[in-house]
Amino acid sequence: MSLPGNLHVAIIMDGNGRWAQLRGMPRSAGHIQGAKTVRRIVEASAHAGIRTLTLYAFSSDNWGRPGTEVDSLLKLLRCYLATEARRCLRHAIRINVIGRRDRLPRDLVSAIEQSERLTAGGSRMRLRIAVDYSSKHSILEAARRASRNALSVQDFQELLAEVDHAVPESGPVDLLIRTGGEQRLSDFLLWDCAYAELYFTDHLWPDFGESELREALTDFARRQRRFGKVLAETA
Ligand code: FPP
């Protein structure tokens, strides 16, 4: 399978709640299992040669979930960052948490900053985790900062990265995977996905493994990407 050297894959990790409910467990148990899947998929992605992996962990709309679920998700994220940063350091994976930080608990912001500092030298893969993330908010905020200046697409992209606390040069998304059977973008990376290939699978996130990732990458490798142009041989 031939993949681009600078491959950016983004994943909407859907289906934790249903996975738990199917087993008569609380939704939080699905998120715990989902975090285990994150660990496996991060390693499998680095192994597969993915250069940037962006995971949708907590959308700005997720604040509307019951308080107990929000608390358990934020706690899980803090634990993940605290325990996985060293593992990422060993695997030369650079962590970058994108999204708003002004509404997150102080201890989570500290865990984010520490994990980003610790892994800043990682050059094998960039692991971006979207927390309190909303594309619409990011685009609006970047537009507000741009105000009346005449900006190039590149300038605007840099402003977006600044709004999102994103490290530079993550590049556009090549492949967007959504698990859990739904087929929508849910306010995730709307700008970055302008030419992304979309891949939807019925697998619930906790059941998504290395072979399902390989299947998605194989499907992607077969896609013909034209970026609005025509192929040279048909021009
Ligand atoms: C959507 O499933 C999933 C989320 C809102 C949270 C995703 C979080 C994790 C996978 C675990 C923590 C993340 C990291 C990076 C450690 P859902 O709850 O909406 O599922 P449902 O559609 O079945 O209800």
Side-chain angles (χ1 to χ4, degrees):
M1 162 181 30
S2 149
L3 294 169
N6 212 18
L7 184 64
H8 183 169
V9 175
I11 309 184
I12 300 178
M13 309 179 288
D14 199 9
N16 293 345
R18 276 166 285 161
W19 184 92
Q21 276 158 356
L22 281 169
R23 289 160 180 79
M25 294 154 90
R27 293 176 57 81
S28 57
H31 295 314
I32 291 170
Q33 195 62 30
K36 290 183 187 159
T37 301
V38 168
R39 188 177 301 138
R40 283 200 308 274
I41 291 300
V42 166
E43 287 185 12
S45 299
H47 194 69
I50 291 170
R51 290 286 293 139
T52 305
L53 176 69
T54 306
L55 302 176
Y56 206 5
F58 189 85
S59 79
S60 295
D61 287 326
N62 288 153
W63 289 114
R65 293 191 176 201
T68 48
E69 184 171 346
V70 169
D71 289 347
S72 75
L73 268 171
L74 297 181
K75 194 165 149 223
L76 199 55
L77 281 165
R78 183 167 50 76
C79 290
Y80 177 86
L81 291 170
T83 59
E84 294 305 299
R86 299 217 155 265
R87 203 184 175 98
C88 286
L89 178 66
R90 278 201 305 279
H91 289 94
I93 294 171
R94 180 176 191 177
I95 296 176
N96 176 208
V97 175
I98 60 167
R100 295 180 65 164
R101 296 192 182 175
D102 58 313
R103 306 190 293 188
L104 299 178
R106 192 59 240 159
D107 57 355
L108 177 53
V109 176
S110 301
I112 290 171
E113 289 169 354
Q114 269 177 33
S115 65
E116 288 185 336
R117 237 187 340 263
L118 187 69
T119 62
S123 55
R124 185 175 179 204
M125 186 179 83
R126 210 182 273 113
L127 168 61
R128 306 196 318 157
I129 303 175
V131 178
D132 195 2
Y133 179 87
S134 153
S135 272
K136 286 196 288 188
H137 166 82
S138 306
I139 293 169
L140 208 59
E141 178 59 21
R144 199 182 59 76
R145 292 187 194 183
S147 59
R148 279 177 293 277
N149 296 330
L151 293 181
S152 66
V153 168
Q154 178 63 28
D155 293 335
F156 190 75
Q157 223 150 258
E158 281 167 21
L159 269 180
L160 262 181
E162 180 190 299
V163 168
D164 286 337
H165 303 94
V167 294
E169 289 159 24
S170 303
V173 173
D174 297 297
L175 170 63
L176 176 92
I177 300 172
R178 181 173 187 138
T179 63
E182 313 282 4
Q183 304 194 356
R184 54 176 168 260
L185 296 180
S186 300
D187 201 10
F188 187 45
L189 303 175
L190 300 182
W191 175 283
D192 322 63
C193 281
Y195 275 101
E197 297 296 324
L198 309 180
Y199 181 87
F200 300 105
T201 167
D202 288 337
H203 284 98
L204 303 176
W205 175 248
D207 297 327
F208 191 82
E210 196 170 346
S211 64
E212 284 73 28
L213 176 68
R214 226 184 356 258
E215 233 171 84
L217 292 174
T218 305
D219 187 273
F220 169 77
R222 282 196 293 260
R223 308 265 180 112
Q224 195 185 68
R225 304 187 77 198
R226 296 190 296 278
F227 300 95
K229 302 179 179 63
V230 290
L231 290 178
E233 61 265 27
T234 59

